Amino acid sequence: TSSSSSSSRCGPLIHTAYPRELTQNPLKKIWMPCRNGHIAQRRVCMTNCPTLIVTVGLPARGKTYIAKKLTRYLNWIGVPTKEFNVGQYRRECLKIYKSFEFFRPDNNEGLKIRRQCATSALNDVREYLRVEGGQVAVFDATNTTRERREDIMKFAEQNSFRVFFVESVCEDPDVIAQNIVQVKLGNPDYIHCNSEEAIEDFMKRIKCYESSYQPLEETLDRDLSYIKIMDVGRRYLVNRVVDHIQSRIVYYLMNIHITPRSIYLCRHGESDLNIKGRIGGDSALSARGKEFAKRLGKFIEEQDIKELKVWTSQMKRTIQTAEGIGVPYEQWKALNEIDAGVCEEMMYEEIQENYPLEFAMRDQDKYRYRYPKGESYEDLVQRLEPVIMELERQENVLVVCHQAVMRCLLAYFLDKTADELPYLNCPLHTVLKLTPVVFGVFLLSFCVFLLSSLMFSFSFYVFSVFFVCFLRYLVCFCCHFVSLAFPFSFWHFLSFSVFLKD
Amino acid sequence: MTNCPTLIVTVGLPARGKTYIAKKLTRYLNWIGVPTKEFNVGQYRRECLKIYKSFEFFRPDNNEGLKIRRQCATSALNDVREYLRVEGGQVAVFDATNTTRERREDIMKFAEQNSFRVFFVESVCEDPDVIAQNIVQVKLGNPDYIHCNSEEAIEDFMKRIKCYESSYQPLEETLDRDLSYIKIMDVGRRYLVNRVVDHIQSRIVYYLMNIHITPRSIYLCRHGESDLNIKGRIGGDSALSARGKEFAKRLGKFIEEQDIKELKVWTSQMKRTIQTAEGIGVPYEQWKALNEIDAGVCEEMMYEEIQENYPLEFAMRDQDKYRYRYPKGESYEDLVQRLEPVIMELERQENVLVVCHQAVMRCLLAYFLDKTADELPYLNCPLHTVLKLTPVAYGCKVESVYLSVDAVNTHRDRPEVGPMEEIHHVHFVKAFPNLRPVHIFTFLHMIERVTVKCLLCVIVNVMQSV
């Protein structure tokens, strides 16, 4: 659907064209005029101009962290966003990084290459925002001089992009040192160095920028739209927020933090309707579900988590599961399972029989498909946005929710696209532990299995368990080393199974 | 939302919009369900002094004045403690100039003794036009200046501001680095936010960063009469009736006549509101959040049918219509939470027409007109009527325009039944499920009448014999 043009003064009524007949889009259940015309379905970002977000700051100030996180958030809420890291362009251009000398302010050769890389990145930005249908582009570079920022603004003006600066200012040497160790040492630039050499070189690199650093100022830059983040979020300066998307970006940036913590996601225990193979409803836990609740309580106790908060939905099965843990919990209506409308409490076979068209359309586009008188995954994402915002604010949280809801939350943390989201695997009786690490999320999957029937003999079972474990460890370690080589990949994946026996 | 009660403290010279911000914030927090109350020290001073003479009272060397002002502040803080500790309030807004560091430290000591969290909201503005407009719009109507003419009032007020200026110590970067505050500069052009520590402060900051004072109007109306409206059924997704379509056309003409600058039109995703907006003939935006309240199992039923099939639910709805949630449906309380992003965006926008539904319109209206949760579900929002809301001074001016197209009445007044009768009614209904409540009431009334008549006869007879 095309976004509406800003309606100017209400001119003369177009009597011939209006009122138009309405039909309901069978997939999304949206009423639209019969002919393609002026219809604007509420998209999160009501901006007509594409937005160009520009990071500003010395190296090791968290610009790329912010850029990647913001891109992930905007994509999740439905605003097509892409990140353009100028350092990447420089690495592709240079191939081999020698030393900080490249960044010296008097190195004309270096300056020329860096300007070329920036221009190349801006060209790709234009391509993305104009041709490929992107709505927000994040231009991630130091952009520490006023001159460079003016070049970017000229570029944006030529292309009718709105510019929003995100400056990160930090003078705390501990934070900077930790930043360097966590992020830069794994950087492709420093693969061939040892830690000490790398740190020393990087500090000199920062020095090269410091002399020419011109921060965003109150008087000189009073007409620019920007947010200045100081001391890792202790203090913010916000200037001239002009539209909805900038307001949302500011709100998001003011809620994120870098305190180490873990988020635990799991579904409710097995419910009576699960056993019958029916979707939706508000049933109670089955016997195995109750057993899971107890095991979950033990697991949480063993983990010994500092100040854990427990959130559930307002449906009986999640609350019963949280009751099994034995700690205070908070009920969120927003965490309720997706509303299947007329298909509530039906089996998939029944849906196929009674609503074959709906069933077919759901398989066509599971993300956007809305159940008749129900919801879609797209609606679910919009409903879950306050939950994500509060999760960003909090520290250690356990969220007991439902399959579709867990998929949406997982897609946010693991940066999955709308096409992958509805097919993410979220089995019952499995707890996912998410720990933010470097530029992504470290996923630990704990499977709490119940030995409900002894199909195999004890020894064979034990052997198979350990063999599978060993295999998975092997795969994991390979993945780990592989991902070390590509530190900018979004997530590490380690699978760790815990088998608890009766 | 927060474990400790929060004390919001406004800071700033007179005529910087502190009371405007305090009242608006209080209204917003109450609407989203956080019990909040505003404490304006100027009010306390007026009660204490009775008659305001001149700006001399505020001179920094007027010891008598200083003593009274400090007393008023203390009295207000005592009421704050009463509200937050005893009356169950969660946020208190302490609205005064609080321009000296000393006064702010007193407040912080008070808050620490009582385990309140403090959040400062400072308003800084040096634009003389804004200040002048502020004085004209707000201060001239102030009880202090009732007996003066405009010029005298303005002159006196400017001198009053001067009294504060010399001792004004704004919140500073280094000295106040450990305080939680937001500094609003130049009416929202620029914000400085320091140390936001919890959820409620984060929401307050987000809200304050989205409001503006540009003059504008918000138009609220319901969709035109729908087919289900005529049948007396609730919910559903029906089309407009003939009269509803007529309303859509009249609405289009009305909007044209109003000649509104850059009007945005928002509808829900239900057919009847979209058809209404189509009648206007301008581009519109569909919001799922504006959909009518979900009546769950009672969708597309008549109120009589609900009373017959779910008598207990029906009774409970009348008991607490705001918190009552339809089985597998929603409550007004859920609706408010669903509409919060709509309100936030309405605050950001300028001229907007919202075509929505009865329950939704009641929630939006309650926000703008500062209605409580008890009043909200009974606000009158008839079909084919447009409400024009224009923010003025500290509140909202409402103009109601009925577009002269007949429609059914979908409003149900608050029932006269009191809580005790309700309980009897409910128990009786459980015992005799086939009896309708109407029958029970007439029966009870009949018994009452008969008993009263008998008693009267007995008394008369006794008196006669005596």
Side-chain angles (χ1 to χ4, degrees):
Chain A
T1 54
S2 55
S3 64
S4 76
S5 54
S6 61
S7 50
S8 53
R9 219 168 199 96
C10 280
L13 290 171
I14 313 166
H15 292 287
T16 47
Y18 293 93
R20 299 168 291 188
E21 285 305 308
L22 297 176
T23 49
Q24 194 177 43
N25 170 307
L27 184 80
K28 295 171 92 163
K29 315 290 187 296
I30 305 271
W31 290 101
M32 303 189 309
C34 285
R35 287 184 307 266
N36 275 342
H38 283 277
I39 196 258
Q41 189 217 327
R42 178 72 196 172
R43 287 206 137 271
V44 172
C45 167
M46 246 340 259
T47 176
N48 305 318
C49 318
T51 305
L52 175 59
I53 300 175
V54 181
T55 61
V56 179
L58 294 171
R61 260 57 172 182
K63 297 183 301 298
T64 306
Y65 173 80
I66 290 171
K68 285 191 190 292
K69 212 170 157 79
L70 195 53
T71 306
R72 177 161 58 92
Y73 170 71
L74 290 173
N75 276 316
W76 186 75
I77 61 172
V79 181
T81 310
K82 195 167 169 192
E83 195 220 349
F84 298 86
N85 183 297
V86 177
Q88 278 294 105
Y89 286 78
R90 192 250 311 150
R91 262 169 235 123
E92 273 161 37
C93 185
L94 266 196
K95 302 287 181 257
I96 299 170
Y97 171 76
K98 291 193 190 90
S99 79
F100 77 95
E101 302 274 342
F102 177 79
F103 292 97
R104 285 177 62 142
D106 51 5
N107 180 349
N108 286 326
E109 187 61 33
L111 283 171
K112 196 171 126 195
I113 294 178
R114 284 154 72 192
R115 181 164 288 132
Q116 267 174 2
C117 291
T119 315
S120 172
L122 283 178
N123 287 336
D124 285 351
V125 163
R126 187 193 308 125
E127 179 80 16
Y128 177 69
L129 292 180
R130 275 208 154 166
V131 177
E132 292 174 33
Q135 225 164 329
V136 177
V138 184
F139 186 71
D140 178 19
T142 49
N143 298 317
T144 39
T145 56
R146 189 154 279 123
E147 186 199 346
R148 170 58 59 84
R149 295 195 291 266
E150 269 166 24
D151 287 342
I152 297 173
M153 307 238 302
K154 266 190 222 118
F155 162 84
E157 216 180 295
Q158 283 167 0
N159 292 287
S160 315
F161 300 153
R162 233 169 241 172
V163 183
F164 187 72
F165 292 97
V166 177
E167 180 171 19
S168 176
V169 176
C170 181
E171 293 315 318
D172 186 346
D174 295 324
V175 173
I176 299 170
Q178 198 186 26
N179 211 337
I180 296 176
V181 166
Q182 271 187 5
V183 180
K184 305 297 179 187
L185 294 190
N187 197 299
D189 291 343
Y190 296 109
I191 275 182
H192 54 275
C193 305
N194 66 33
S195 306
E196 279 163 18
E197 285 175 8
I199 294 177
E200 209 189 302
D201 184 275
F202 200 83
M203 295 304 264
K204 290 191 191 139
R205 200 157 120 177
I206 298 180
K207 281 262 173 307
C208 296
Y209 283 92
E210 269 178 13
S211 47
S212 60
Y213 183 25
Q214 291 164 307
L216 291 165
E217 263 177 54
E218 185 171 337
T219 37
L220 283 169
D221 298 307
R222 83 161 72 95
D223 290 328
L224 301 183
S225 298
Y226 65 86
I227 176 170
K228 207 193 249 268
I229 305 172
M230 294 172 268
D231 294 327
V232 203
R234 192 155 298 164
R235 202 173 158 76
Y236 302 92
L237 214 146
V238 181
N239 198 55
R240 284 196 187 259
V241 166
V242 298
D243 62 14
H244 177 88
I245 192 70
Q246 290 182 13
S247 159
R248 294 288 286 273
I249 290 167
V250 165
Y251 183 41
Y252 181 71
L253 291 177
M254 285 174 52
N255 280 320
I256 60 181
H257 66 78
I258 56 166
T259 316
R261 49 83 172 251
S262 291
I263 296 170
Y264 297 78
L265 297 180
C266 74
R267 288 172 65 187
H268 53 84
E270 188 189 60
S271 71
D272 291 326
L273 282 180
N274 283 143
I275 294 179
K276 293 183 194 154
R278 295 181 177 276
I279 64 171
D282 195 8
S283 53
L285 291 181
S286 67
R288 296 198 292 197
K290 288 179 186 153
E291 185 60 36
F292 166 71
K294 272 195 231 144
R295 298 282 178 94
L296 183 62
K298 262 192 236 143
F299 170 75
I300 294 297
E301 228 183 299
E302 281 160 22
Q303 288 279 304
D304 199 25
I305 306 155
K306 178 187 128 191
E307 282 177 29
L308 178 74
K309 294 219 160 85
V310 180
W311 295 354
T312 71
S313 72
Q314 283 186 351
M315 295 185 146
K316 189 171 188 185
R317 47 198 190 276
T318 51
I319 300 171
Q320 277 186 303
T321 310
E323 282 285 330
I325 304 174
V327 287
Y329 52 86
E330 221 185 295
Q331 295 185 14
W332 288 71
K333 188 173 193 281
L335 286 171
N336 279 6
E337 180 60 312
I338 192 171
D339 184 2
V342 297
C343 303
E344 278 279 322
E345 299 195 36
M346 291 174 93
M347 292 192 277
Y348 283 117
E349 296 80 17
E350 284 174 12
I351 302 175
Q352 196 169 17
E353 206 178 294
N354 296 322
Y355 303 95
L357 205 65
E358 296 291 331
F359 196 78
M361 275 196 294
R362 185 153 210 253
D363 285 336
Q364 255 190 341
D365 189 348
K366 199 172 174 188
Y367 182 72
R368 280 169 206 83
Y369 169 79
R370 188 184 282 172
Y371 281 105
K373 300 191 180 174
E375 291 178 306
S376 60
Y377 273 96
E378 204 172 9
D379 299 328
L380 208 56
V381 160
Q382 208 168 346
R383 207 213 299 156
L384 286 169
E385 202 263 339
V387 176
I388 288 292
M389 198 63 86
E390 191 56 23
L391 272 174
E392 286 293 345
R393 287 200 56 81
Q394 294 290 341
E395 294 187 12
N396 292 319
V397 185
L398 162 67
V399 184
V400 184
C401 53
H402 306 264
Q403 180 167 264
V405 170
M406 189 164 161
R407 283 173 171 159
C408 293
L409 297 177
L410 204 57
Y412 167 74
F413 288 108
L414 301 186
D415 201 20
K416 298 292 181 187
T417 63
D419 293 320
E420 299 169 308
L421 191 160
Y423 298 101
L424 292 175
N425 196 16
C426 296
L428 283 166
H429 302 179
T430 308
V431 180
L432 297 183
K433 177 179 178 182
L434 306 163
T435 312
V437 83
V438 192
F439 293 131
V441 161
F442 184 71
L443 177 68
L444 260 173
S445 156
F446 292 91
C447 301
V448 180
F449 272 90
L450 290 176
L451 248 191
S452 55
S453 63
L454 284 166
M455 284 200 289
F456 310 98
S457 69
F458 182 77
S459 53
F460 178 74
Y461 192 80
V462 167
F463 172 75
S464 61
V465 155
F466 278 113
F467 183 66
V468 164
C469 242
F470 175 71
L471 267 181
R472 282 168 123 168
Y473 265 114
L474 213 59
V475 167
C476 298
F477 280 131
C478 294
C479 284
H480 187 68
F481 282 117
V482 162
S483 53
L484 265 184
F486 304 100
F488 290 99
S489 64
F490 272 122
W491 51 271
H492 287 67
F493 183 76
L494 236 192
S495 175
F496 189 97
S497 307
V498 172
F499 290 88
L500 297 179
K501 306 231 159 82
D502 264 332
Chain B
M1 271 184 203
T2 173
N3 303 322
C4 316
T6 305
L7 176 59
I8 300 175
V9 181
T10 61
V11 179
L13 294 172
R16 260 55 173 184
K18 297 185 299 299
T19 307
Y20 174 79
I21 290 170
K23 285 192 190 291
K24 213 167 155 80
L25 195 53
T26 306
R27 177 162 57 92
Y28 169 71
L29 289 173
N30 276 316
W31 187 74
I32 60 172
V34 180
T36 309
K37 195 168 170 191
E38 195 218 348
F39 298 86
N40 182 298
V41 176
Q43 279 294 106
Y44 285 77
R45 191 253 309 152
R46 263 169 234 125
E47 276 165 23
C48 184
L49 266 196
K50 302 286 180 258
I51 300 170
Y52 172 77
K53 292 196 188 85
S54 79
F55 75 97
E56 301 276 341
F57 177 79
F58 292 97
R59 286 178 59 143
D61 51 4
N62 181 351
N63 287 326
E64 187 60 31
L66 283 170
K67 198 172 126 197
I68 295 178
R69 284 154 72 194
R70 180 163 289 131
Q71 269 173 3
C72 292
T74 315
S75 170
L77 283 177
N78 287 335
D79 287 351
V80 163
R81 186 194 307 125
E82 179 81 14
Y83 176 69
L84 290 180
R85 278 214 153 156
V86 178
E87 293 176 32
Q90 225 165 326
V91 177
V93 184
F94 187 70
D95 178 20
T97 48
N98 298 317
T99 38
T100 55
R101 189 153 280 121
E102 186 199 346
R103 170 60 59 85
R104 296 196 289 267
E105 268 166 25
D106 288 342
I107 298 174
M108 307 240 301
K109 267 190 220 117
F110 163 84
E112 215 180 296
Q113 284 165 1
N114 291 287
S115 315
F116 300 154
R117 233 171 241 173
V118 183
F119 187 71
F120 292 97
V121 177
E122 181 173 17
S123 177
V124 176
C125 181
E126 293 315 316
D127 186 345
D129 294 325
V130 174
I131 299 170
Q133 199 184 29
N134 210 337
I135 297 176
V136 166
Q137 272 187 7
V138 180
K139 304 299 177 185
L140 295 189
N142 198 298
D144 290 343
Y145 296 110
I146 274 182
H147 54 276
C148 303
N149 66 34
S150 308
E151 278 164 18
E152 284 175 10
I154 295 177
E155 207 188 304
D156 184 275
F157 200 83
M158 295 304 265
K159 289 190 190 141
R160 198 157 120 178
I161 298 179
K162 280 260 173 304
C163 296
Y164 283 93
E165 271 179 10
S166 47
S167 59
Y168 182 25
Q169 292 165 307
L171 291 165
E172 265 178 51
E173 185 171 337
T174 36
L175 283 168
D176 299 307
R177 84 160 68 96
D178 290 327
L179 301 182
S180 297
Y181 65 85
I182 176 171
K183 207 194 249 268
I184 305 172
M185 295 171 271
D186 293 327
V187 203
R189 191 155 299 164
R190 201 169 159 76
Y191 302 92
L192 214 147
V193 179
N194 197 55
R195 286 198 186 260
V196 166
V197 298
D198 62 14
H199 177 89
I200 193 72
Q201 290 182 13
S202 158
R203 293 286 286 273
I204 290 167
V205 165
Y206 184 40
Y207 182 71
L208 292 177
M209 286 174 52
N210 278 320
I211 61 181
H212 66 79
I213 58 165
T214 315
R216 49 83 171 255
S217 290
I218 295 171
Y219 297 79
L220 296 180
C221 74
R222 290 170 65 186
H223 52 85
E225 189 190 56
S226 70
D227 290 327
L228 281 180
N229 282 144
I230 293 178
K231 294 183 192 151
R233 295 182 178 275
I234 64 172
D237 194 9
S238 54
L240 292 182
S241 67
R243 296 197 292 196
K245 289 181 184 152
E246 183 61 34
F247 166 71
K249 276 197 222 138
R250 297 271 181 99
L251 184 63
K253 268 199 223 125
F254 170 75
I255 294 297
E256 220 186 316
E257 280 160 24
Q258 289 280 304
D259 201 24
I260 307 154
K261 179 185 127 189
E262 284 182 26
L263 178 74
K264 294 222 159 82
V265 179
W266 294 354
T267 71
S268 72
Q269 281 185 353
M270 295 185 145
K271 190 173 187 181
R272 48 200 189 277
T273 51
I274 300 171
Q275 276 186 305
T276 310
E278 280 285 327
I280 304 174
V282 286
Y284 52 86
E285 226 186 292
Q286 294 186 15
W287 287 71
K288 187 172 195 280
L290 287 172
N291 278 7
E292 179 61 314
I293 191 170
D294 184 2
V297 297
C298 303
E299 277 280 322
E300 298 195 37
M301 290 174 94
M302 291 194 277
Y303 283 116
E304 294 80 16
E305 283 174 13
I306 302 175
Q307 199 168 16
E308 205 177 299
N309 296 323
Y310 304 95
L312 209 63
E313 297 290 331
F314 193 78
M316 278 196 292
R317 185 155 208 253
D318 283 338
Q319 260 192 333
D320 190 349
K321 199 171 174 188
Y322 182 73
R323 280 167 206 84
Y324 169 80
R325 188 184 281 172
Y326 280 106
K328 299 191 182 174
E330 292 177 305
S331 61
Y332 273 96
E333 205 173 8
D334 298 328
L335 208 55
V336 160
Q337 210 171 342
R338 207 214 300 159
L339 286 169
E340 202 260 342
V342 177
I343 288 292
M344 198 62 87
E345 191 56 22
L346 271 174
E347 287 291 347
R348 286 200 57 80
Q349 293 291 341
E350 295 186 14
N351 292 317
V352 185
L353 162 68
V354 183
V355 184
C356 52
H357 306 262
Q358 181 168 258
V360 170
M361 187 163 162
R362 283 173 171 158
C363 293
L364 297 178
L365 204 56
Y367 167 75
F368 287 109
L369 302 184
D370 201 17
K371 298 291 181 188
T372 63
D374 292 320
E375 298 169 310
L376 190 160
Y378 298 101
L379 292 175
N380 200 11
C381 296
L383 285 166
H384 300 180
T385 308
V386 180
L387 295 182
K388 177 178 176 179
L389 304 163
T390 314
V392 84
Y394 294 140
C396 221
K397 184 174 77 167
V398 188
E399 290 167 56
S400 172
V401 182
Y402 173 61
L403 290 186
S404 307
V405 180
D406 286 331
V408 297
N409 180 13
T410 56
H411 185 81
R412 282 184 75 243
D413 272 319
R414 194 191 293 267
E416 294 297 324
V417 163
M420 285 309 289
E421 293 177 59
E422 203 57 47
I423 294 172
H424 290 309
H425 163 205
V426 164
H427 283 312
F428 208 54
V429 161
K430 268 177 150 171
F432 301 94
N434 290 324
L435 264 178
R436 283 166 152 263
V438 171
H439 300 157
I440 295 164
F441 274 119
T442 43
F443 183 61
L444 284 172
H445 283 149
M446 193 178 71
I447 294 182
E448 259 185 67
R449 270 178 296 177
V450 164
T451 330
V452 165
K453 268 194 188 158
C454 290
L455 274 172
L456 275 174
C457 286
V458 165
I459 292 171
V460 161
N461 281 325
V462 163
M463 282 173 65
Q464 271 179 349
S465 58
V466 162

